[in-house]
Amino acid sequence: MTPELMIKACSFYTGHLVKTHFCTWRDITRTNENLVLADKMNRAVTWYSFRLQKSVFHHWHSYMEDQKEKLKNMVLRIQRIICCHKLTVILTKWRNTARYKNKKKEDELISKHELQLKKWRNRLLLRGASAEKSNFPEQSSSEVSLVDETLECDISQLPERAILQIFFYLSLKDVIICGQVNHAWMLMTQLSSLWNAIDFSTVKHMIPDKYIVSTLQRWRLNVLCLNFRGCLLRPKTFRSAGHCRNLQELNVSDCPTFTDESMRHISEGCPGVLYLNLSNTTITNRTMRLLPRHFHNLQNLSLAYCRRFTDKGLQYLNLGNGCHKLIYLDLSGCTQITDSAMEMLSAKCHYLHILDISGCVLLTNQILEDLQIGCKQLRILKMQYCTNISKNAAERMASKVQQQEYNSNDPPRWFGYDREGNPLTQPDDITSSKGRLELTVEKSTYSSEEEAA
C-alpha cells in the first residue's frame, strides 16, 4: 500500500466519520427545536385561551353590573310609581270627600234660603189676603213687614262662589254702592276674587285719583286685569299700577296723560303682562325700547293711532329676547311706519296670527312679501285704506291667510290725515267724527282679541 493510497483512505475515513457525526448532531438538534417549538406553541395556546376567557368574563361582568343597575333603577321607578299612585288615590278620595261636603253644605244653605223665601212669600200672600178682607190697605205697615221679612233672607249666608257670581254682573260703581249698604255687604265686596279685574273706565268721570291709588295699593296682589281706557289721570296714578306684580292685562288706550315715564314704572313692576293696549296715547321710542326689555311673554299689543314713535322704535321690539311671542299686533293709523320697520318685525315675530295695518299709507307691496317669508302662521290680515298696496298683491296675499280685509281707498276725513299721511287742516270734521273713530277702534280691537282667543 502506497502512501498516497494511505492518505486517501484516511481522508475518506475522516470525512465519512465527520459526516456521520454531523448528520446525527443535526437530527438531534432538529428534534430539540421541534420539541421547544411545540412547547412554546402549547404555552401560547394556553395563554391565548386564558386571555380570551378573561376578556369574555370581563364583558360578562360589565353586562351583569349594567343589568343589576337597570334592575335597581327599575325597582326604584316602580316604587315611585306605586307611591305616586297611592298619593293620587288619597288625594282623589280627599278631593271627592271635600267636594261632597262642600256641595252638601251649599245645597243645605240653598235649600234653607229657598225655604225661607217660600215662607216669606206665603206670609206675604196671607197678609195680602187678610188686608183685602179687612179693607185696610195700609202701605206703611206692608212696607215695614216687607223689610222685616227680607232681612231674614240674607245673601251673605250664601256660598262664596254664589256671591261672586252675583257681584260679577255688577260694575265697579255698583260694587262700591253695595259696599255702603251695611257691614255684611261691605264684607261681601271685599272678596279677593272680586278684584281680579278692575274697570276704571266706567267711573272715569266720578272717581278721584286718590281712590284709584288706594284701591290698587290694597288689592295689588290680586289684580290681574286693569282697564284705564279714556281716563284722565295724573302720571302718579298710573305709576301705582306698577305695584300690581301679577298684572296680566293692561288697557290705557285714549289716555292723554299716559307718558313714557308712567310706562317705565309699570314695565319694571309688572313683567308678566300678556295683553297691552297703548292705542291713541303719546308714547315714543322710549316706551318701545322698554317693551322687549321687560315684557318677554307679551302676546297682544295694540299701538293703534300712536304716531310719536318711529321706525326705529318699532325695530326695538326685536332687541334681545324681544317680543317674539306676539300673536296679535294692531298698528292701524300709524302713518309713520315704513317697509323697513315692518321687514325687521316680520323677520322675528314668527308666531304672529293677527296683524292690523289699516291706515298705514306708507306701506307698499314689499311688506306683503316680507310677511309671506317671516310670518308663516299669519291668519288674519287687515289692510283698510292702504293706498300704496296694489290690488294684485293683496289678491296674492289672500291665498296665504284665512281672512283678509283690504281696500285702497283714501282714508276717511275723520282719520285726521290724507292719503300721503299728512294731517288735515279742518278740525271741525275731525272733531265731529271723534266719537265714530273711538267706536271703530274699540270694535276692531275687541273683535280681533276674540279672534285671537
Side-chain angles (χ1 to χ4, degrees):
M1 179 178 292
T2 59
E4 288 84 2
L5 292 174
M6 192 65 178
I7 291 172
K8 287 182 179 180
C10 290
S11 298
F12 176 77
Y13 178 75
T14 304
H16 179 71
L17 186 62
V18 170
K19 183 177 179 181
T20 302
H21 284 80
F22 177 77
C23 291
T24 304
W25 172 81
R26 186 181 61 183
D27 294 338
I28 294 172
T29 303
R30 285 181 178 178
T31 303
N32 292 335
E33 288 180 355
N34 292 335
L35 293 174
V36 172
L37 184 62
D39 183 56
K40 289 183 178 180
M41 184 61 68
N42 291 332
R43 292 172 62 187
V45 170
T46 304
W47 176 252
Y48 176 75
S49 300
F50 174 74
R51 291 297 302 271
L52 184 61
Q53 292 176 359
K54 186 178 179 180
S55 177
V56 171
F57 177 78
H58 177 71
H59 287 293
W60 175 81
H61 181 72
S62 300
Y63 173 76
M64 293 304 297
E65 290 293 331
D66 293 340
Q67 292 297 321
K68 288 181 180 179
E69 188 70 23
K70 289 181 180 180
L71 184 61
K72 183 179 178 181
N73 294 334
M74 189 179 300
V75 172
L76 292 176
R77 186 176 179 183
I78 292 173
Q79 291 177 353
R80 292 196 198 100
I81 293 173
I82 294 174
C83 183
C84 292
H85 180 69
K86 289 182 179 179
L87 293 176
T88 304
V89 172
I90 294 172
L91 289 176
T92 303
K93 291 183 178 179
W94 172 81
R95 182 185 61 185
N96 294 334
T97 305
R99 285 182 177 178
Y100 174 74
K101 291 183 178 180
N102 190 20
K103 186 178 179 181
K104 184 178 179 181
K105 183 179 178 181
E106 291 180 357
D107 292 340
E108 290 177 355
L109 290 175
I110 291 174
S111 60
K112 180 180 177 181
H113 283 282
E114 288 179 352
L115 183 60
Q116 290 179 355
L117 183 61
K118 188 176 181 180
K119 291 180 179 180
W120 173 71
R121 288 178 179 175
N122 293 333
R123 290 178 184 177
L124 285 182
L125 292 175
L126 293 175
R127 291 187 182 185
S130 61
E132 289 178 358
K133 290 180 180 180
S134 59
N135 294 325
F136 290 105
E138 296 180 0
Q139 185 68 23
S140 60
S141 62
S142 63
E143 290 179 356
V144 171
S145 64
L146 180 62
V147 172
D148 294 337
E149 293 297 334
T150 54
L151 289 176
E152 297 179 1
C153 185
D154 189 5
I155 68 170
S156 62
Q157 301 298 326
L158 290 173
E160 181 178 340
R161 185 176 61 181
I163 295 174
L164 289 175
Q165 190 65 29
I166 293 172
F167 279 94
F168 277 150
Y169 291 103
L170 303 180
S171 62
L172 180 61
K173 177 182 176 182
D174 296 332
V175 172
I176 295 173
I177 294 174
C178 291
Q180 299 173 354
V181 174
N182 53 37
H183 182 70
W185 283 57
M186 184 191 69
L187 293 179
M188 287 188 292
T189 58
Q190 302 303 317
L191 296 175
S192 59
S193 301
L194 194 61
W195 298 92
N196 287 342
I198 305 178
D199 187 3
F200 290 110
S201 63
T202 58
V203 291
K204 57 185 176 183
H205 298 301
M206 59 186 71
I207 188 171
D209 290 15
K210 182 179 179 180
Y211 178 79
I212 295 177
V213 174
S214 62
T215 302
L216 295 179
Q217 182 67 25
R218 180 174 183 178
W219 304 104
R220 60 185 182 276
L221 298 180
N222 302 100
V223 176
L224 300 179
C225 306
L226 277 180
N227 187 1
F228 292 108
R229 185 178 183 273
C231 295
L232 187 61
L233 305 175
R234 294 178 300 176
K236 184 179 178 181
T237 306
F238 286 115
R239 295 176 189 175
S240 61
H243 300 294
C244 304
R245 298 289 180 179
N246 300 319
L247 188 65
Q248 297 181 2
E249 298 184 12
L250 177 62
N251 186 352
V252 292
S253 59
D254 302 324
C255 294
T257 56
F258 188 80
T259 60
D260 296 328
E261 189 66 19
S262 304
M263 192 66 226
R264 184 180 68 83
H265 286 84
I266 294 175
S267 62
E268 291 176 354
C270 310
V273 173
L274 302 177
Y275 167 84
L276 182 60
N277 191 344
L278 301 173
S279 59
N280 201 19
T281 55
T282 58
I283 61 169
T284 62
N285 289 348
R286 289 181 57 193
T287 295
M288 302 300 291
R289 185 187 290 268
L290 293 172
L291 297 182
R293 185 179 301 173
H294 299 281
F295 300 146
H296 302 307
N297 297 319
L298 188 63
Q299 297 180 0
N300 293 266
L301 177 62
S302 177
L303 300 172
Y305 301 93
C306 296
R307 300 172 184 169
R308 295 198 176 185
F309 69 88
T310 62
D311 287 350
K312 186 176 181 180
L314 194 61
Q315 293 174 1
Y316 285 151
L317 296 179
N318 299 327
L319 295 178
N321 293 329
C323 302
H324 300 159
K325 298 181 181 180
L326 277 178
I327 298 176
Y328 168 80
L329 179 61
D330 187 0
L331 298 173
S332 58
C334 299
T335 58
Q336 73 279 14
I337 298 176
T338 61
D339 292 341
S340 59
M342 291 301 299
E343 181 182 1
M344 295 290 295
L345 188 66
S346 61
K348 296 293 183 179
C349 298
H350 302 297
Y351 302 102
L352 195 63
H353 289 177
I354 302 174
L355 177 63
D356 190 351
I357 53 175
S358 300
C360 298
V361 294
L362 299 183
L363 297 181
T364 62
N365 297 337
Q366 181 62 35
I367 179 59
L368 301 183
E369 298 179 2
D370 297 334
L371 290 176
Q372 292 179 16
I373 298 174
C375 302
K376 300 290 186 179
Q377 301 185 20
L378 189 63
R379 299 176 183 175
I380 301 175
L381 178 61
K382 299 182 179 182
M383 301 182 293
Q384 302 285 348
Y385 311 113
C386 293
T387 57
N388 289 327
I389 296 179
S390 64
K391 184 177 180 180
N392 294 332
E395 290 177 352
R396 290 193 300 269
M397 188 65 188
S399 60
K400 305 295 183 180
V401 296
Q402 296 179 2
Q403 180 181 345
Q404 177 176 296
E405 298 178 9
Y406 166 77
N407 69 59
S408 58
N409 300 333
D410 292 342
R413 297 186 64 83
W414 49 269
F415 267 39
Y417 55 89
D418 56 14
R419 62 181 295 115
E420 302 296 334
N422 300 320
L424 298 177
T425 57
Q426 292 83 358
D428 296 337
D429 296 338
I430 302 172
T431 305
S432 62
S433 303
K434 184 178 180 181
R436 291 180 294 169
L437 172 61
E438 294 179 354
L439 180 61
T440 303
V441 173
E442 180 182 4
K443 182 178 180 182
S444 173
T445 303
Y446 284 98
S447 62
S448 300
E449 292 168 6
E450 294 175 357
E451 293 169 355

